[in-house]
Amino acid sequence: MGVELVALHWIYLLFIVLIIGFMVARKDTSLICIAGIFLLAAVATHSLSAAVSGVFNSFIYAITELLPTILVISIIVAMSKVLSATGINDVMVSPFVRFIRTPAWAYWTIGILMMIISWFFWPSPAVALMGAVLLPAAVRVGLPALGVAMAMNLFGHGIALSGDFIIQGAPKLTADAAGLPVGDVIAASVPLVFVMGAVTTVTAFYLLRRDMKRGRLASGEAEMAATVDSTLEKTSHLLTGQTKKWLALLIPILFALDVIAMFYLRLQGGEATALVGGTAIFILILISVLAHRQESFAEVTNYFIEGFQFGFKVFGPVIPIAAFFYLGDAGFVKIIGDYLPQASQGIVNDLGVALAHAVPLNNEVGAVTLTIVGAITGLDGSGFSGISLAGSIAHLFSVAIGGGTATLTALGQIAAIWVGGGTLVPWALIPAAAICGVDPFELARRNLIPVAVGLVVTTVVAMFLI
């Protein structure tokens, strides 16, 4: 029958329900998570001082666990700043402009290139890196600005971010919450990511072409002139044209070598992240020295500051939420102490065993529930703040079903990031909408049907993989 459920289990379950409720209502959940941590610590220790300390210690634990992810994203954003400032990004993507000859070629070229760049740079920096160059080329051949924004969103914030195979920020969060190695979640996510990506992008392209033929969408080239001109303002005089060409060739070669090293040396998780992060640091320093010369000492620091500001802005809301969900597993003992029942395997495991005895869960119910939970957690518009919840519930359900933890975790991660990472929630769409000069609400409306169709198909596929 498993361990007897005590007050700590019911409090944890209550706060999971509250967190979901607040996410549905589009309210911030940080305060609820902090209240949950405090109450769990107070009930466990019967000490006010220990409960207050427990909140702070949970933040330390969460930051310690998340720090490699925050660090690598901050460094990559810092590197993207120097690439934009020197105009190297223009040179890197300019060879692909020749493929943009028709609206169809523009959509798929921009999308696939966005996906590849987003794997290494993350989507928001990738939009800035390539948008200014490829946007006017796409508009010239008749692809509406809205179509460019859709391609960037669906391939970058959708496919690339939901898998996050290289930087591994998303799978790190979900894997920790589910108590799995990062490599297991990544492996399980591969078929789901590409099913979701294929269905969504093809559906979006079909609807886009249909509306263009019916005259519902115009290219809007004249309206875009001011936006394109403003995005093309660069301080590219910092480097000569020849130097930019060599650096534009060197940078992808270095990252390609990283990927080769990951396969041959079998690097995953933190080791793979460290390799990508270290490469980005040296690229940033090299370009800064070449571009700024004697001012490079100060400029390198400024680029790092910009990167860290971005990193902590993105992960600021994630820390209290992750801190709460870490209490569902091994984090409880490390943060609060050994206060669970003697036979306990962790709060989530205990609840999973109890659920298995109380409710006849199966693969279908588990898959649908994880998709819904993931989508709900994405409603806050970050995509990342709630994926710990998806991992935790995946763990809970897999105990009840008797397996499929990695697939359920990957499914919840994909649903959360596709909804909240920048394809459906309007305030998460601002980077791509701004670079293309389109309304983020209109972009979210255009993405709704393709993403919904993709989630349904991906959920059905996941049922067979659990």
Side-chain angles (χ1 to χ4, degrees):
M1 186 68 186
V3 69
E4 180 183 355
L5 300 184
V6 297
L8 293 172
H9 296 90
W10 296 113
I11 292 169
Y12 188 86
L13 186 60
L14 170 65
F15 274 89
I16 285 181
V17 174
L18 285 174
I19 290 166
I20 293 174
F22 270 68
M23 286 179 170
V24 170
R26 297 184 180 179
K27 301 291 184 183
D28 194 280
T29 57
S30 295
L31 186 59
I32 297 299
C33 292
I34 293 169
I37 296 166
F38 176 83
L39 190 57
L40 285 168
V43 170
T45 63
H46 303 289
S47 167
L48 180 61
S49 63
V52 172
S53 300
V55 173
F56 185 76
N57 288 334
S58 70
F59 276 40
I60 292 176
Y61 184 86
I63 291 172
T64 302
E65 292 294 315
L66 297 177
L67 191 57
T69 302
I70 298 172
L71 185 62
V72 72
I73 289 167
S74 300
I75 288 168
I76 286 170
V77 170
M79 180 187 64
S80 75
K81 297 287 185 182
V82 74
L83 293 178
S84 295
T86 55
I88 294 173
N89 61 306
D90 293 352
V91 180
M92 288 177 68
V93 298
S94 59
F96 296 94
V97 173
R98 72 185 67 171
F99 295 104
I100 301 178
R101 296 176 180 175
T102 65
W105 275 100
Y107 176 87
W108 294 107
T109 300
I110 289 173
I112 293 169
L113 187 59
M114 179 71 183
M115 177 182 70
I116 294 169
I117 293 177
S118 296
W119 275 332
F120 295 93
F121 292 88
W122 250 39
S124 293
V127 167
L129 284 173
M130 60 179 285
V133 178
L134 297 183
L135 175 63
V139 170
R140 276 196 298 271
V141 298
L143 182 66
L146 193 59
V148 178
M150 288 175 67
M152 288 183 170
N153 266 159
L154 299 177
F155 282 88
H157 293 87
I159 300 173
L161 190 60
S162 66
D164 200 8
F165 302 134
I166 306 299
I167 299 173
Q168 301 181 0
K172 164 69 174 169
L173 286 169
T174 47
D176 283 354
L180 294 171
V182 175
D184 289 3
V185 175
I186 291 175
S189 72
V190 170
L192 299 180
V193 166
F194 286 106
V195 166
M196 179 71 188
V199 172
T200 304
T201 55
V202 170
T203 304
F205 180 70
Y206 168 78
L207 295 175
L208 187 67
R209 285 296 298 268
R210 183 198 66 183
D211 288 346
M212 287 173 65
K213 289 179 180 178
R214 292 178 179 178
R216 294 179 182 174
L217 284 174
S219 67
E221 187 171 356
E223 298 175 11
M224 294 252 315
T227 304
V228 173
D229 288 342
S230 66
T231 57
L232 286 173
E233 292 177 2
K234 304 283 183 182
T235 53
S236 55
H237 63 274
L238 294 170
L239 293 171
T240 66
Q242 193 64 27
T243 303
K244 284 189 285 187
K245 287 179 181 178
W246 281 109
L247 289 171
L249 181 63
L250 176 64
I251 292 166
I253 289 174
L254 290 175
F255 280 117
L257 290 173
D258 280 353
V259 175
I260 293 169
M262 288 177 198
F263 281 108
Y264 278 96
L265 301 178
R266 297 181 180 178
L267 302 180
Q268 288 185 337
E271 292 176 327
T273 299
L275 183 62
V276 172
T279 303
I281 290 174
F282 283 107
I283 290 172
L284 186 155
I285 293 171
L286 173 63
I287 297 172
S288 297
V289 170
L290 292 173
H292 300 290
R293 297 177 179 85
Q294 61 267 28
E295 286 92 22
S296 61
F297 293 97
E299 291 299 328
V300 166
T301 302
N302 290 334
Y303 288 126
F304 278 128
I305 290 171
E306 288 188 74
F308 280 115
Q309 285 174 336
F310 177 89
F312 278 92
K313 184 178 179 180
V314 169
F315 278 88
V318 176
I319 290 169
I321 296 169
F324 174 79
F325 287 107
Y326 281 134
L327 292 177
D329 199 30
F332 190 96
V333 175
K334 294 179 181 178
I335 295 167
I336 297 175
D338 193 5
Y339 292 99
L340 291 172
Q342 189 173 3
S344 174
Q345 298 296 311
I347 292 177
V348 170
N349 268 338
D350 297 343
L351 288 170
V353 172
L355 187 65
H357 287 88
V359 181
L361 281 176
N362 55 36
N363 295 2
E364 291 76 16
V365 173
V368 171
T369 304
L370 258 296
T371 299
I372 293 171
V373 167
I376 289 171
T377 65
L379 292 176
D380 67 342
S382 82
F384 270 59
S385 63
I387 56 177
S388 292
L389 171 63
S392 186
I393 291 180
H395 188 179
L396 182 71
F397 275 35
S398 66
V399 174
I401 293 172
T405 312
T407 300
L408 288 172
T409 301
L411 181 62
Q413 171 183 303
I414 288 166
I417 291 178
W418 271 90
V419 171
T423 66
L424 287 188
V425 178
W427 48 94
L429 296 166
I430 291 172
I435 212 83
C436 296
V438 299
D439 180 7
F441 287 90
E442 176 62 16
L443 178 55
R445 189 186 70 79
R446 295 290 314 186
N447 287 342
L448 178 59
I449 293 176
V451 172
V453 172
L455 286 173
V456 170
V457 174
T458 305
T459 303
V460 173
V461 171
M463 293 175 185
F464 293 96
L465 297 177
I466 295 172

